[in-house]
């Protein structure tokens, strides 16, 4: 009978939980791939499916290896966990690097902030300036109907209510702009001339709109990075338990499932007699 060890039990339960958790992740990805036509939702389908299937396969290998003492399955599980840890470390470091800066400027007398494209990393700026990336992002902004929510605001509402980064950058002209008869007066920021009161134009082509999108990305990326740190700590703990379970699985197939007896270090013959006794007992049991 194979020894029952705490690390194997813990790994088994942990991977059973993650195995079950991967099912709704895969289901959500399949639902998005089949039924969602909105730009902001459809772009999530591939990451969801990839993450779901990777978690499913890793959890299945860890569960089988820990509960049934399959050493090769545990070996694959540990390699996958280590690769996942390295990948998350790289993504987390990259996320913190490219989302440095930003945060916006507080407007005096207003509860909201305004954002400037030059406050963000060059990688994010280049990303937003490339039409290949900006067109889907703009479609997402328009589809979110963020501007429709404040279309009927009065000047007093802007003094009393906060705005999201997208609403601040895309749904109104910069606060510093000055207009006379609906036309900008004097030399002003280029965004003041790009603004148009038409619902399908607004400030969607303004640099402030791109800055608002980048600020939203920065905030979301920081949340994801914090979550990545938590997941990394959990994965490192699981990997440590997995190493113990892998060692136990290899021991269970050897002549010393409970470890080498200390007497074998004192008297080598003790090792010989202990091995013969264990083989005899195993033959009687099986």
């Amino acid at each position: 009978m194979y020894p029952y060890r705490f690390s194997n039990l813990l790994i088994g339960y942990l991977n059973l939980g993650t195995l079950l958790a991967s099912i709704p992740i895969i289901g959500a990805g399949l639902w998005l791939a089949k039924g969602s036509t909105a730009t902001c939702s459809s772009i999530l389908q591939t990451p969801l499916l990839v993450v779901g299937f990777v978690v499913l396969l890793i959890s299945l290998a860890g569960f089988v290896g820990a509960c049934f003492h399959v050493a090769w399955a545990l070996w694959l599980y540990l390699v996958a966990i280590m690769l996942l840890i390295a990948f998350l470390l790289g993504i987390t470091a990259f996320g913190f690097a490219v989302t440095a800066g930003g945060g916006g400027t507080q407007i005096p007398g207003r509860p909201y902030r305004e954002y400037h494209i030059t406050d963000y990393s060059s990688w994010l700026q280049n990303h937003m300036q490339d039409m290949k990336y900006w067109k889907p992002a703009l479609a997402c902004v328009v589809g979110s109907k963020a501007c429709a929510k404040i279309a009927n605001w009065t000047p007093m509402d802007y003094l009393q209510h906060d705005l999201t980064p997208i609403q601040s950058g895309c749904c109104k002209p910069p606060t510093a702009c000055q207009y006379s008869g609906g036309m900008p007066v004097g030399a002003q920021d280029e965004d003041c001339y790009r603004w148009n009161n038409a619902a399908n134009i607004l400030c969607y082509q303004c640099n402030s709109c791109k800055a608002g999108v980048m600020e939203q990305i920065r905030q979301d990326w920081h949340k994801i990075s914090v979550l990545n740190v938590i997941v990394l700590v959990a994965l490192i703990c699981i990997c440590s338990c997995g190493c113990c379970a892998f060692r136990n699985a290899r021991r269970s197939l050897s002549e010393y499932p409970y470890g080498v007896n200390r007497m074998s270090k004192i008297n080598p013959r003790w090792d010989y007699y202990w091995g013969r006794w264990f083989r005899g007992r195993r033959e009687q049991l099986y």
Side-chain angles (χ1 to χ4, degrees):
M1 189 72 179
Y2 290 157
Y4 206 64
R5 298 182 184 271
F6 175 74
S7 58
N8 297 67
L9 181 65
L10 181 61
I11 284 291
Y13 278 118
L14 287 174
N15 284 282
L16 179 60
T18 54
L19 184 66
L20 295 175
S22 67
I23 296 175
I25 297 176
I26 295 173
L30 292 174
W31 177 79
L32 288 174
K34 182 178 179 181
S36 179
T37 56
T39 304
C40 298
S41 299
S42 61
I43 60 175
L44 297 176
Q45 65 191 43
T46 302
L48 278 175
L49 288 173
V50 171
V51 170
F53 279 111
V54 168
V55 171
L56 176 67
L57 293 176
I58 292 177
S59 301
L60 185 61
F63 181 76
V64 171
C67 293
F68 298 98
H69 299 275
V70 182
W72 65 265
L74 273 174
W75 183 83
L76 290 177
Y77 168 76
L78 289 175
V79 170
I81 286 290
M82 291 177 183
L83 290 175
L84 189 57
I85 289 174
F87 175 76
L88 283 177
L89 277 173
I91 287 293
T92 303
F94 177 75
F96 279 120
V98 300
T99 57
T105 304
Q106 185 67 50
I107 304 301
R110 307 292 177 98
Y112 57 83
R113 292 173 173 267
E114 289 187 346
Y115 307 92
H116 306 281
I117 195 170
T118 55
D119 292 339
Y120 298 89
S121 67
S122 58
W123 185 88
L124 268 182
Q125 291 184 43
N126 295 333
H127 208 66
M128 286 296 102
Q129 296 291 355
D130 191 339
M131 293 304 295
K132 180 175 65 174
Y133 299 107
W134 174 240
K135 282 185 177 180
L138 182 59
C140 182
V141 170
V142 175
S144 68
K145 302 187 185 303
C147 295
K149 298 176 183 177
I150 63 172
N152 297 323
W153 277 21
T154 64
M156 187 60 66
D157 290 322
Y158 285 94
L159 295 174
Q160 297 176 345
H161 303 290
D162 197 7
L163 296 172
T164 66
I166 289 177
Q167 288 174 335
S168 176
C170 304
C171 306
K172 65 171 190 60
T175 305
C177 292
Q178 298 179 4
Y179 295 91
S180 177
M183 298 297 294
V185 178
Q188 301 187 63
D189 190 289
E190 292 181 359
D191 286 348
C192 299
Y193 296 91
R194 296 190 179 107
W195 161 261
N196 191 300
N197 204 39
N200 62 332
I201 300 178
L202 298 179
C203 215
Y204 291 141
Q205 299 303 323
C206 298
N207 285 331
S208 62
C209 186
K210 295 178 180 178
V213 172
M214 287 192 287
E215 176 62 22
Q216 194 65 56
I217 293 173
R218 187 188 74 87
Q219 293 180 6
D220 293 342
W221 215 330
H222 274 193
K223 294 175 184 177
I224 294 173
S225 295
V226 172
L227 179 62
N228 283 347
V229 171
I230 297 174
V231 172
L232 277 171
V233 173
L235 284 176
I236 291 172
C237 294
I238 292 174
C239 188
S240 300
C241 293
C243 290
C244 295
F246 177 68
R247 181 188 61 187
N248 296 339
R250 295 191 64 182
R251 279 182 178 176
S252 66
L253 300 176
S254 69
E255 296 180 352
Y256 310 106
Y258 296 96
V260 179
N261 195 293
R262 287 182 301 174
M263 291 298 296
S264 63
K265 297 180 180 180
I266 301 174
N267 185 359
R269 292 184 63 82
W270 177 271
D271 193 38
Y272 170 75
Y273 290 120
W274 170 257
R276 289 189 60 185
W277 178 86
F278 176 75
R279 284 193 295 272
R281 290 290 297 168
R282 188 162 60 180
E283 289 173 359
Q284 291 176 7
L285 289 174
Y286 297 100

